[in-house]
Structure formats: structure tokens, C-alpha cells
Amino acid sequence: MSLLVVGSVAFDSIRTPHGQADEILGGAATYFSVAASWFAPVRVVAVVGEDFGDRHMRVFTDRSIDTAGVERAPGKTFRWRGEYKGDMNEAHTLETHLNVFEQFAPKVPSSYLESEYVFLGNIDPVLQLHDRQQLPRARLVALDSMNYWIAGKHAELLKALAAVDVLVVNDREAKMLSGNANLTRAAAAIRKMGPRILVVKRGEYGANLFTEDSVFSAPGLPLDEVQDPTGAGDTFAGGFMGHLAKTGDLSESNLRRAVIYGSVMASFAVEEFGLGKLLRLNPQLIGERFAEFKNLAHFDA
Amino acid sequence: MSLLVVGSVAFDSIRTPHGQADEILGGAATYFSVAASWFAPVRVVAVVGEDFGDRHMRVFTDRSIDTAGVERAPGKTFRWRGEYKGDMNEAHTLETHLNVFEQFAPKVPSSYLESEYVFLGNIDPVLQLHDRQQLPRARLVALDSMNYWIAGKHAELLKALAAVDVLVVNDREAKMLSGNANLTRAAAAIRKMGPRILVVKRGEYGANLFTEDSVFSAPGLPLDEVQDPTGAGDTFAGGFMGHLAKTGDLSESNLRRAVIYGSVMASFAVEEFGLGKLLRLNPQLIGERFAEFKNLAHFDA
């Protein structure tokens, strides 16, 4: 089934203990859609500038990602410069130039209106709610957010949360949003705000899924080397939503598998700078890594 | 099969965001042996002072723990005062009075010499190696250590490590011991130092088991409230070694179950101050919590 993502497209300049890269293609919508494209047909709503060339657009079209919703605006594409140090659990932002993204008013093309699976990337919650209301046929709508909106547009974010099915955030954001430092209580509070499904990303420690019936803990895959964590969260969301859109199955057991597919894709993302590895995957590699997660977490009663 | 622990017995004064307790019975050997006593017969080697009364000793004997190796020395029992703040992931030591523990020279009684499962709690690695050499019948010897010995008695610790089967440490200690910030590489380096089995405790994030064949990731159980993390690591070790001593099975699948039993016992330990909950357990409660861990981690391929 069709999967729609609304979010940023950017050029990232990244430095990590393992190297650096300048002005490489990134952004939430980019990582999400490339990851999800291994599972289901993906449609993107985003904005790029005049400096966004054909070779950048081909990264999407080569993965059969529908770019009818990618608007080209006068000016430059969103740019982000960041650095990771030590254990690389946190990005230190050095420069942000929103450029054309500053005036981003997402336009959902008519050809996207039937989309059943929707991911509202981390943008202004007013826009997230507006987009959500344009998609009445959506069967599952997931939303990402961050500290900036949690603090600065709290009331607007609560309205958007009341209109979605899934919230995907990291553990610090879940604690901040709920005002509760205990993750179990934070999850219960957030589920009362609207999303019946909460996915909490915990970086190298894996991810948790909170639903009405249960809690699921997905492990983090121990990796020999993390090159670049940029985009791991959006890549996770892409694998998660991609698997759900592919299968159309929202059962508890399939939500758990979706969390693992999200973890699988994120584990590939961090092994190389930028989109590197995500563009060279195949179903067999994805299946083998899923099996690695199974072996990592399995024990007999 | 019989399980021997060498380690500290202390009176702890603890403050956490949820309350405080003064001069309550604690110490590594205490938490370990009470936890392990739900699985197998336990023998303790430790030292206490003249202020250690019958009611304290009964905490051990009521759990049928063999105290023939608990030496009573002139002076006062080891005292520790500490505080936990915020997310309670780290103890802040306010006061340490080693007292009789300062001159602790562990004596293994002749009645203990046949012990097959041995846990060398966090003490001077010179003493750990000495104890290990007194126990030629040991089938599985596990060792705990800490930053103090890793930095201050590195060469001695390496000698002790070369003589044991299992190292149980937390993730910071594993990275410090190996000099590698990547846990996968740290584990490989540590396994070359001697222990063929490495268990890495990660607090609320669970635990990892590294063996020759594979890596296992045990989840942390999300708890509504953590009252007091004191002793969680030694309690974990008690459940882990207790299950192995009970079953006598050192297969990969049983080592994984042992990590879960360690996690089960640690999850009980932190729910109340001190030994509180660990003294009121029963096999049914332990079995139910094991099933909770199974449900928490399970997904279908």
C-alpha cells in the first residue's frame, strides 16, 4: 500500500570521529523515503532550492520514489552542519540554514490524496495537523517531533498528536513531552494524548514499542563501527512504516516486526556516511540482518 | 550444585529521589547470596565487624545461606553512604568507611573447597586470584571488578582475568578495561584476556552476553518506579550464577536464560530499598517475571 512522507530534504555537512562529508544529500524525508522504498511505493512531499540538481533528484527516482510532491522554490536548499564526538549519541549542530525550508508550506498533490500510510516528519506541528487533515483515507498516520516544538509549540503539538495514530520519538523527547522521567509513565501519559502506538528510539540501546496491550523492547545491534549516525532516526521510521505499508497488517506481532525492520534499516544507515549503504541494499541483505536481530534477542523459556 | 561467593558485607545509607534508608544491610556478597539463594545452595566468604548482630546474620541463615566463611573481626563493619539523583543511573558516593573490610583476607573454609560455581565479587584482584587458586574443583568462576582496580591494579587484574571463565561488568567498565569505546570491539578484546564469557550490565537498558559463538541482548524491564538501584549489579550476578549452579548447564541457550534470571532478580531489587523485595520472593513470582521478560523481547520471524 502507498506510503506518504512529509519532511525535510537537506544538504548535510557532517564530521564524526571516523571522517567527514560536505554537502551530501540528507534530510528526514530523504532518509525515510530511501529506507521505506525497500518495502513499499513511497511518495514525498518536500521543498528543495534551485541548487537541487537532477543528480540529486535521481537518488529518489532511481528508487522509484514518487517526487510529484517535491516543490522547487526560489533560493537554496536547507543546509545543516553538525558534528558527533565520543560515543556519538548526540549531534552537535554547528550551523543551520533553513533557506527554502523556512517558508515550507507542504502541498499534498491530488495524486497523493488516497495515501493510506503517512509519516509526518519533524516539522511545525501546525503544518503536521494541516497535512493530516488533507488525508482522510489515511489508515495509519505517524508523527515525529523534537524538543524545539515540544517546548515552543506545545499546544499546537498536542492538537497534532490528538489526530495521529503513532508517535515516533527518542527517549529524551518522550520524557520531555510527558514531563515524566520514568519511561513507562511517560509512555502512558503520551498514549493518553492521542497516539495509540508509541515508538521510543533509544539509539545504540534499541527501541521500545508501547501499545495498549504490551511493551516490546527491540535490542540495538552491536556494530563494529558506527561511521555516521545522521538520519538513523528517520531511517528507522522508514523501515517501520515501510514494513507496515507493505503488509497492511497492524497486529501487535506485526508492529513488533516493523520495529525490527526499522532497527535493521537504522543499523545499515550508521555504517556509512550519508545514504551510502541504504542505496546499495537488497532484500537478501535486509532479511539476513533481520535474522541477526532475531538471534540477538532470542531466548527459550 | 554449590555456589560460592566472595565479597563485601556492608551497612549502607542511601538517599534516592524516592526516599532514604540508614545503615541497612547491603554489600556485594549480601545482594549476590540472597538473590542466588532462590536458585541454589549458597556459601559466603566475607568479613563483618563486632557490630554485626544475630539479626543481621539471620538474613543469611533464614535463606539457608552457609555462613561458615563469614569471619567476625575486631572493629566495625564496612559502611557506605551514597546518593542517586535524576535518572538514578549512577551512584554518588558520599562516604566510605572500609573498617574491617580494609584488611579483608578471604579465608575459604575447608567445607567450601569442593565448590563448583564461584563468584569473586569486586575486591582487590590479588585476592581474587588467590581465592580462585584455592578452588581447583571450580567448574565456572566469574569475576566482577570496577574502575578503581582497572586503573590502579591493571596488571594484577589481568592475571586474575586469565584465570576465570566469566567477567561480569558494566558497559563503562568494559570500555575502560579494553580501552575501546565500541562495545563489540571491547568485548572481543576482553575475551582475549581470559574470560570466555563476558556479561555486560547496562542498567535500565538491560544486559549483553558475549560468547565465542554469538552476542545476546537482554532487555531492561520498564518499571513504573525504581526506588533504589543499590545492589542491582550484584543481584543480577546472583540470579545469573544461581541459575547456572542450579541447572549445571553451560550451553549457549542456558547462559542466555541465566542472563534473563539475572535481569529478573535485578528488576525485583530496584523496586524497594535494600534487600526488601528480594527477601519476600517465591518461585512463582520469579517465574512470572521471567515470562514478562519473554513477552517483552519476543518477536516472530
Side-chain angles (χ1 to χ4, degrees):
Chain A
M1 272 158 272
S2 58
L3 172 56
L4 168 62
V5 53
V6 183
S8 61
V9 171
F11 291 126
D12 293 336
S13 297
I14 302 156
R15 185 191 296 267
T16 84
H18 300 287
Q20 67 177 86
D22 287 313
E23 303 237 324
I24 58 172
L25 182 58
T30 309
Y31 280 102
F32 180 97
S33 59
V34 169
S37 72
W38 294 102
F39 298 85
V42 184
R43 301 159 165 176
V44 188
V45 173
V47 63
V48 298
E50 293 158 317
D51 53 357
F52 198 85
D54 286 347
R55 69 184 176 95
H56 300 122
M57 198 63 94
R58 272 201 301 276
V59 172
F60 294 85
T61 52
D62 283 356
R63 293 291 318 136
S64 302
I65 295 164
D66 188 337
T67 57
V70 178
E71 178 194 357
R72 194 182 297 263
K76 293 176 85 175
T77 300
F78 180 14
R79 274 169 174 72
W80 177 79
R81 179 182 296 275
E83 189 171 12
Y84 300 84
K85 293 179 179 173
D87 62 4
M88 296 198 281
N89 274 330
E90 209 175 343
H92 301 275
T93 292
L94 302 175
E95 280 182 63
T96 302
H97 299 288
L98 292 175
N99 298 330
V100 297
F101 195 62
E102 189 155 14
Q103 302 298 329
F104 182 39
K107 295 174 196 71
V108 178
S110 57
S111 61
Y112 286 10
L113 293 177
E114 306 293 295
S115 300
E116 292 182 273
Y117 291 80
V118 177
F119 183 70
L120 303 170
N122 170 30
I123 59 173
D124 187 329
V126 173
L127 300 176
Q128 290 177 317
L129 180 59
H130 179 256
D131 293 338
R132 199 268 163 267
Q133 288 167 339
Q134 288 180 67
L135 298 159
R137 300 285 295 272
R139 194 172 163 219
L140 190 80
V141 180
L143 180 151
D144 182 17
S145 196
M146 71 182 293
N147 51 5
Y148 182 78
W149 308 115
I150 294 169
K153 293 216 175 178
H154 199 80
E156 294 83 350
L157 179 57
L158 290 181
K159 277 187 202 159
L161 283 174
V164 302
D165 308 286
V166 185
L167 176 66
V168 184
V169 286
N170 69 37
D171 47 354
R172 287 186 310 276
E173 291 158 352
K175 291 173 182 179
M176 183 181 177
L177 173 61
S178 64
N180 200 312
N182 177 287
L183 192 59
T184 304
R185 293 179 180 209
I190 290 170
R191 291 189 60 256
K192 284 186 185 156
M193 296 174 187
R196 67 180 192 276
I197 299 164
L198 171 65
V199 181
V200 178
K201 299 170 290 182
R202 309 178 94 177
E204 65 169 313
Y205 298 112
N208 280 147
L209 169 74
F210 295 89
T211 59
E212 182 164 5
D213 300 326
S214 77
V215 185
F216 170 55
S217 178
L221 188 70
L223 293 168
D224 270 359
E225 190 163 284
V226 172
Q227 286 275 340
D228 171 19
T230 308
D234 297 301
T235 303
F236 174 95
F240 175 76
M241 291 295 288
H243 176 72
L244 294 177
K246 174 186 179 179
T247 57
D249 172 1
L250 300 179
S251 67
E252 169 75 23
S253 62
N254 201 49
L255 286 168
R256 290 182 170 213
R257 273 190 292 271
V259 169
I260 298 297
Y261 278 111
S263 307
V264 162
M265 300 309 285
S267 75
F268 286 127
V270 302
E271 288 186 310
E272 293 185 21
F273 271 75
L275 295 166
K277 192 144 185 178
L278 293 177
L279 294 172
R280 298 197 321 274
L281 294 176
N282 61 55
Q284 191 188 335
L285 285 173
I286 293 170
E288 284 168 3
R289 189 146 293 184
F290 187 99
E292 273 189 67
F293 272 88
K294 184 68 188 160
N295 188 50
L296 179 65
H298 183 75
F299 63 95
D300 295 309
Chain B
M1 272 158 271
S2 58
L3 173 57
L4 167 63
V5 55
V6 183
S8 61
V9 171
F11 290 126
D12 293 335
S13 297
I14 302 155
R15 186 191 295 266
T16 84
H18 300 286
Q20 66 178 87
D22 287 313
E23 304 236 324
I24 59 173
L25 182 57
T30 309
Y31 280 102
F32 180 97
S33 59
V34 170
S37 72
W38 293 102
F39 298 86
V42 184
R43 302 158 164 175
V44 188
V45 173
V47 62
V48 299
E50 293 158 317
D51 53 357
F52 198 85
D54 286 348
R55 70 185 175 94
H56 300 122
M57 200 62 96
R58 272 200 302 274
V59 171
F60 294 85
T61 52
D62 284 356
R63 293 290 320 137
S64 302
I65 296 163
D66 188 336
T67 58
V70 178
E71 178 194 358
R72 195 182 296 266
K76 293 176 86 175
T77 302
F78 181 12
R79 272 166 175 74
W80 178 78
R81 180 182 293 276
E83 188 172 12
Y84 300 86
K85 294 179 179 174
D87 62 4
M88 298 197 282
N89 274 332
E90 209 175 342
H92 301 274
T93 293
L94 302 175
E95 280 182 65
T96 302
H97 300 287
L98 292 175
N99 298 331
V100 296
F101 194 62
E102 190 156 13
Q103 301 297 328
F104 182 41
K107 296 174 195 73
V108 178
S110 57
S111 62
Y112 286 8
L113 292 177
E114 307 293 297
S115 300
E116 291 180 275
Y117 291 81
V118 176
F119 183 70
L120 304 171
N122 170 29
I123 58 173
D124 186 329
V126 174
L127 300 176
Q128 289 177 318
L129 180 59
H130 179 256
D131 292 339
R132 199 271 163 262
Q133 288 167 339
Q134 287 180 69
L135 297 158
R137 300 287 294 273
R139 193 172 163 221
L140 190 80
V141 180
L143 179 150
D144 183 17
S145 195
M146 69 183 295
N147 50 5
Y148 181 79
W149 308 116
I150 295 169
K153 292 215 174 178
H154 199 80
E156 294 84 351
L157 179 56
L158 290 181
K159 277 187 201 160
L161 283 174
V164 303
D165 309 286
V166 185
L167 175 66
V168 184
V169 286
N170 69 36
D171 46 356
R172 286 187 310 276
E173 290 157 354
K175 292 172 182 179
M176 183 180 175
L177 173 60
S178 64
N180 199 314
N182 177 286
L183 192 57
T184 304
R185 294 179 179 207
I190 289 170
R191 291 188 61 255
K192 283 187 185 159
M193 297 174 186
R196 67 180 192 276
I197 298 163
L198 170 65
V199 180
V200 178
K201 301 170 287 182
R202 307 178 95 176
E204 64 168 315
Y205 298 112
N208 282 146
L209 169 73
F210 295 88
T211 60
E212 182 165 5
D213 300 326
S214 77
V215 186
F216 171 55
S217 177
L221 188 69
L223 293 167
D224 270 0
E225 192 164 282
V226 171
Q227 286 276 337
D228 170 20
T230 308
D234 298 302
T235 304
F236 174 95
F240 175 77
M241 291 295 288
H243 176 71
L244 294 177
K246 174 187 179 179
T247 56
D249 172 2
L250 300 179
S251 66
E252 168 75 25
S253 62
N254 201 49
L255 287 168
R256 291 182 171 214
R257 274 190 293 271
V259 169
I260 298 297
Y261 277 112
S263 307
V264 162
M265 301 310 284
S267 75
F268 286 128
V270 302
E271 288 187 310
E272 293 184 22
F273 271 76
L275 295 165
K277 191 144 187 178
L278 293 178
L279 295 171
R280 297 197 321 276
L281 294 175
N282 61 54
Q284 191 187 335
L285 285 173
I286 293 169
E288 285 168 2
R289 187 145 294 184
F290 187 97
E292 274 188 66
F293 272 88
K294 183 69 187 160
N295 188 50
L296 178 65
H298 183 76
F299 63 94
D300 295 310

